[in-house]
Amino acid sequence: MTVRLADAGDHIVLKPCIHDYQVNCGNCRLNSICLPLALESDDIEQLDNIIQRSKPLQKSQHLYREGDEFKSVFAVRSGAMKAYKTTDDGREQVTGFYFPGEILGMDGISNNLHASSAKALETAAVCEIPFTSLEKLSAMMPTLQRHFFQLMSREITADQQLITLLSKNSADERVASLMLSISTRNSKRKLSATQFRLPMSRVDIGNYLGLTVETVSRVFSRMQKLEILRVDNKEIKILDVQGLQKMANVGD
Amino acid sequence: MTVRLADAGDHIVLKPCIHDYQVNCGNCRLNSICLPLALESDDIEQLDNIIQRSKPLQKSQHLYREGDEFKSVFAVRSGAMKAYKTTDDGREQVTGFYFPGEILGMDGISNNLHASSAKALETAAVCEIPFTSLEKLSAMMPTLQRHFFQLMSREITADQQLITLLSKNSADERVASLMLSISTRNSKRKLSATQFRLPMSRVDIGNYLGLTVETVSRVFSRMQKLEILRVDNKEIKILDVQGLQKMANVGD
DNA sequence: GAACTACCTTGACTCAAATCAAGGCTGCAT
DNA sequence: ATGCAGCCTTGATTTGAGTCAAGGTAGTTC
């Protein structure tokens, strides 16, 4: 059975081969997420000039690796990315999933080395923002400087959310929270909040949430039995948002 | 039995009532940790001018609370602080411990509201750095701007370390890692790396590491039995650094 | 210095998630 | 179409940390 991916027509199509190289920040339909600046059009043009748009990454291709020299941060334009660290004993800790309009790579600033690796979960296009140019432009444009401080701060609060989730919540609550997070982020980019395709594997979800694959799989089965979700491999349909919120144990 | 607190004379005395209000950034002995800038003395003076030094906080007094308006970031001058969030069901998640020279409050930038609360673990003095002034100064001083980006990035990598610890490591490994982290940070400020007094309670340690008090206590007992640490309430003496590293399971 | 409180430790028991094991799907390559 | 490899699911069993319970210790107040 086939499921429609998006309910909002052709806003952002998560299929390969539709990557518009001519897009610029001024007309990018993600700029309300990516750069919610009250930028003067002149400012946008300056920003646009420093941004490099390269050819799309294929699934499982790396954007950068832990230890690489840090030169740029990246905005996801289409597709999805994961950031992860490899622990001393070789296991993988996923530190974040990044969807269109979201920025990654900021952990590399502190040491001029990327502190994590970034890999495409599916065919993905990114905008590269060279950091030295961004710094110079920030010094000249107070709103941009402010905005970038805010982006970094948001990464910190997101990490703290995850810390709390890992430290205090059960397997059910963790998976439910992730589903709600993806749902919310989808609706921000005008995609369906209730129906979507997960770009990551169960292993990735487990590595993000501090759970094993088996546990993630069991939670999905449980949610399906409770008629909170319909799960068909990577296709997710949220049947009962309130039930999901209750399962996530989030205060509302 | 009494234990000397510091091995380096009167560098930083963790006892109350020795707080020098006349300190400025130029002569502060923490500036190699707090602001490792190759700042011109003129630059230091400008920075110094925006920094406010208020009277010390008493133990368990709040510096700010979750939801307060964000106005400033803070540098710890003496004592120790903890940052924490309260979960929807009233439990506490400690997101970080902050020692002299370390900066806290950066999670408030994203929403202009503090995303966590900060409380003194013992009598503590802080330097308040008003954020709007810092922004203005950053736009004028590239090294300061760069430095502040790096500080925020460091907070991100620290959070990612904690995420990995919570997600992948056993109780033994978590407690051992925290002891090593405190040891390292102590030696950076010329204090003993092997002997120190924990400013936080077992409950705080548990809330930071995602463990219960009982588990933290049992780990300390185990470490003592293995002659890795000597634990006398809050006094810690590391007897076997290599054993501790092995227990933390950190690659070297 | 007695009493109180907050903090810490230890033991016995329980339970949620990990581990171990096996089998089923899916989609790609031949 | 067939075979293969990676991914996902389900069941049985184990285990590390949580929970419950009780008692000890240190520091503070009166």
Side-chain angles (χ1 to χ4, degrees), chain A residues 137-150:
Chain A
L137 210 53
S138 293
M140 285 156 46
M141 291 170 42
T143 51
L144 181 62
Q145 188 193 52
R146 157 68 59 114
H147 183 64
F148 200 70
F149 280 137
Q150 286 178 337

Side-chain angles (χ1 to χ4, degrees), chain A residues 21 27 43 84 103 199 228 232 236:
Chain A
Y21 292 93
N27 66 23
D43 287 353
Y84 66 97
I103 310 275
I228 287 173
D232 176 21
I236 298 289

Side-chain angles (χ1 to χ4, degrees), chain B residues 201-203 214 217-218 221 233-234:
Chain B
S201 69
R202 302 286 192 269
V203 176
E214 293 94 326
S217 181
R218 279 186 252 268
S221 301
N233 199 10
K234 301 201 165 170

Side-chain angles (χ1 to χ4, degrees), chain A residues 206-225:
Chain A
N207 279 338
Y208 179 66
L209 296 175
L211 301 169
T212 58
V213 215
E214 293 95 326
T215 300
V216 173
S217 181
R218 279 186 249 269
V219 173
F220 276 131
S221 302
R222 219 172 295 156
M223 285 171 156
Q224 181 140 279
K225 196 167 291 169

